[in-house]
Amino acid sequence: MSERQRVTGAAPGIVAEAHRLVGAARAALASEPRPRALLADCAGRLDQPLRIALAGSLKAGKSTLLNSLVGQDIAPTDATECTRVVTWYRYGSTPSVTAHAGDGARANVVVRRGGGTHGLTFDLDRLNWNAAAPREVDHLEVEWPAAALANTTIIDTPGTSSLSREVSRRTARLLTPDAEQSVAVPGADAVVYLLRRLDASDVRFLERVGAGTGAAQGVSGPLGVVGVVSRADEIGAGRIDALHSARDVATRFAGELERTGLCQAVIPVAGLLAFAAATLRQQEYAAFEALAGVPVDELSTALLSADRFARPDVALPVAPELRAQLAERFGLFGIRMAVTLIRLGVRDSATLAAELTNRSGVDELRSVLDVQFGQRADQLKAHSALTALARVLTAYPGSEADALLPRVRTLLADVHGFAELRLLGRLRTDELALPPADLAELHRLIGGSGIAPHLRLGLPIDATPSIQRDQAVAAVRKWRTRARHPLADQFTTTACLTAARSAEGTLTQLPE
């Protein structure tokens, strides 16, 4: 067992079982080219990092959020052709960008860095294909030495509401294979869906994501979807309380989406501020420090709009060119927040960067992604592989592999981990009628602080198996008793039963 598995409790059992079943199916269908290729891809997927796709409407801020999560400027954010194709971001020892055509042809992509505040651009106009003739780009693969990509592959997708039908289809093909692709499965194990508003098109797309993952196998709701109210600072028109307004919006979205089982959590994130904070320069800190000395009313007037703030005829102790850069990188909300923090006592750039990062919402998002996706990577990857296996076995009957289908369906039906995810999401917006200490215990038991047995039980990592077992047995009894309380409402009863089942699950992980 690896150190990460020891600390998080991410047991390799489900992946090993999925490997065994896929291997048995490959042996039984070795003479069939199409299922053989599908199953080979399925086996390889189990050994690869978790795949998380960023999806959402046009200009939702997916590339900016990707940059903020990685902490580096690796995704183009300008509206060029490279934002109209699916782009895979993987870990690599040296930076490289490769264009792939549908027939397997490849071409190296020239990366250009713009001047000023402009980031990277991938030049797709002059591709030297390793083939006889030019090809249309099917997808891009970016390899980058970023620690955030070591255990997770992030897939940046085109906007789902693009004016070009083909551009929108690229995202649909990755996440929601249609009926004509009866054996295909979604290319991602989990989805971060960016929302600027919640309209019918968002709900329809999330319903298709759910149908393309768990629902196809009788599983209620999507496999793993976290919603992000993106560009959250713009909801409050860049005011200092903009994220409070965005949190209210996120709570409303979460209630609507979780009632329908389409999403496990919704979090407001100011992606622009998060990325700017991660790459804060000393020159920018000095500019904020100078602006903090400007009278409040005078600075507030200058910040009525980004254009006004950068005007040369507005007298401020920062050059107009640098003011324009601050407005582009931080937005008005970020400028107001940075100046306010310095006025409240922040005295260096490192502290300011940390404070801005915390207020951007990206730390909260990282925490949720770790608990709901990262620590459940084995379960998510195995579910993707087993879903693919079930579809292959159904599409190609008549071999010895048919005998594997009941076991595959049994594994897919064990959805307690996803019941935990949905409950964690609801607890972010709905309150249980429980004392604070019991609510904290329930949150721990269902994996809110991590999925290792000692974390679920609130014990130190070196607690003996016998102590953990006694604690788990006591938790099972306590929460099953709570579930039978005659005055408990349905939500409370379901939550208590989920906690009891989670406690039972820790018992199966403890050595005899």
Side-chain angles (χ1 to χ4, degrees), residues 210-233:
T213 53
Q217 301 299 331
V219 178
S220 175
L223 185 57
V225 179
V226 166
V228 169
V229 177
S230 62
R231 304 173 71 162
D233 50 314

Side-chain angles (χ1 to χ4, degrees), residues 265-282:
V266 181
I267 301 160
V269 177
L272 184 70
L273 176 61
F275 177 61
T279 55
L280 178 67
R281 302 153 188 165
Q282 185 60 37

Side-chain angles (χ1 to χ4, degrees), residues 329-392:
R329 274 183 36 84
F330 291 82
L332 296 180
F333 169 75
I335 295 171
R336 291 189 178 104
M337 180 61 70
V339 169
T340 299
L341 288 168
I342 290 173
R343 285 171 174 164
L344 291 174
V346 169
R347 291 293 176 262
D348 60 80
S349 60
T351 303
L352 180 61
E355 292 287 347
L356 291 175
T357 297
N358 180 54
R359 284 163 172 76
S360 72
V362 74
D363 282 345
E364 182 182 5
L365 176 60
R366 286 194 182 105
S367 176
V368 170
L369 293 181
D370 179 57
V371 170
Q372 307 211 146
F373 295 164
Q375 295 186 31
R376 289 173 167 84
D378 284 346
Q379 189 176 12
L380 289 162
K381 291 192 295 183
H383 190 284
S384 295
L386 291 169
T387 300
L389 177 56
R391 292 183 177 181
V392 170

Side-chain angles (χ1 to χ4, degrees), residues 131-491:
R135 301 289 199 275
E136 181 179 352
V137 176
D138 177 74
H139 69 278
L140 299 175
E141 289 195 7
V142 178
E143 292 192 358
W144 211 270
L149 299 175
N151 296 309
T152 304
T153 294
I154 302 179
I155 310 170
D156 194 8
T157 66
T160 56
S161 58
S162 173
L163 295 176
S164 166
R165 184 173 297 180
E166 177 54 33
V167 170
S168 294
R169 280 178 181 162
R170 291 167 181 166
T171 299
R173 281 196 297 268
L174 177 79
L175 300 178
T176 60
D178 57 34
E180 295 178 2
Q181 299 169 279
S182 59
V183 188
V185 293
D189 302 307
V191 177
V192 174
Y193 192 83
L194 281 69
L195 300 148
R196 299 196 66 188
R197 61 188 65 83
L198 183 60
D199 55 29
S201 63
D202 292 314
V203 173
R204 283 196 301 270
F205 188 83
L206 288 170
E207 287 174 342
R208 290 180 63 189
V209 170
T213 53
Q217 301 299 331
V219 178
S220 175
L223 185 57
V225 179
V226 166
V228 169
V229 177
S230 62
R231 304 173 71 162
D233 50 314
E234 296 179 7
I235 289 176
R239 298 190 310 270
I240 196 71
D241 63 347
L243 280 178
H244 292 292
S245 300
R247 190 166 294 281
D248 291 339
V249 172
T251 299
R252 177 168 57 83
F253 287 177
E256 295 176 18
L257 291 171
E258 288 159 12
R259 275 195 298 272
T260 56
L262 295 178
C263 202
Q264 287 96 39
V266 181
I267 301 160
V269 177
L272 184 70
L273 176 61
F275 177 61
T279 55
L280 178 67
R281 302 153 188 165
Q282 185 60 37
Q283 180 191 34
E284 293 168 336
Y285 172 79
F288 289 135
E289 200 171 36
L291 291 171
V294 176
V296 173
D297 290 344
E298 186 178 331
L299 184 59
S300 296
T301 301
L303 284 169
L304 288 174
S305 71
D307 289 341
R308 181 183 181 86
F309 179 67
R311 273 170 42 183
D313 61 339
V314 174
L316 291 172
V318 176
E321 295 80 6
L322 182 52
R323 280 184 263 151
Q325 175 181 310
L326 294 177
E328 185 171 354
R329 274 183 36 84
F330 291 82
L332 296 180
F333 169 75
I335 295 171
R336 291 189 178 104
M337 180 61 70
V339 169
T340 299
L341 288 168
I342 290 173
R343 285 171 174 164
L344 291 174
V346 169
R347 291 293 176 262
D348 60 80
S349 60
T351 303
L352 180 61
E355 292 287 347
L356 291 175
T357 297
N358 180 54
R359 284 163 172 76
S360 72
V362 74
D363 282 345
E364 182 182 5
L365 176 60
R366 286 194 182 105
S367 176
V368 170
L369 293 181
D370 179 57
V371 170
Q372 307 211 146
F373 295 164
Q375 295 186 31
R376 289 173 167 84
D378 284 346
Q379 189 176 12
L380 289 162
K381 291 192 295 183
H383 190 284
S384 295
L386 291 169
T387 300
L389 177 56
R391 292 183 177 181
V392 170
L393 296 178
T394 302
Y396 297 93
S399 74
E400 294 180 359
D402 292 350
L404 304 173
L405 199 52
R407 175 59 177 162
V408 173
R409 287 176 172 160
T410 297
L411 290 173
L412 285 171
D414 184 8
V415 294
H416 178 68
F418 303 111
E420 289 182 332
L421 292 180
R422 283 189 285 273
L423 180 54
L424 283 170
R426 285 198 65 182
L427 289 177
R428 298 179 66 83
T429 55
D430 296 343
E431 293 187 3
L432 283 172
L434 295 173
D438 285 345
L439 190 59
E441 180 185 343
L442 182 144
H443 188 268
R444 278 200 321 271
L445 279 172
I446 63 175
S449 300
I451 64 173
H454 72 280
L455 293 175
R456 290 181 185 269
L457 298 171
L459 295 171
I461 191 171
D462 57 354
T464 64
S466 61
I467 291 176
Q468 293 187 61
R469 188 176 298 106
D470 291 345
Q471 188 86 345
V473 169
V476 172
R477 291 172 178 165
K478 171 181 176 176
W479 292 102
R480 287 209 173 278
T481 300
R482 282 289 177 88
R484 292 194 295 268
H485 195 288
L487 298 182
D489 57 39
Q490 184 60 49
F491 178 34

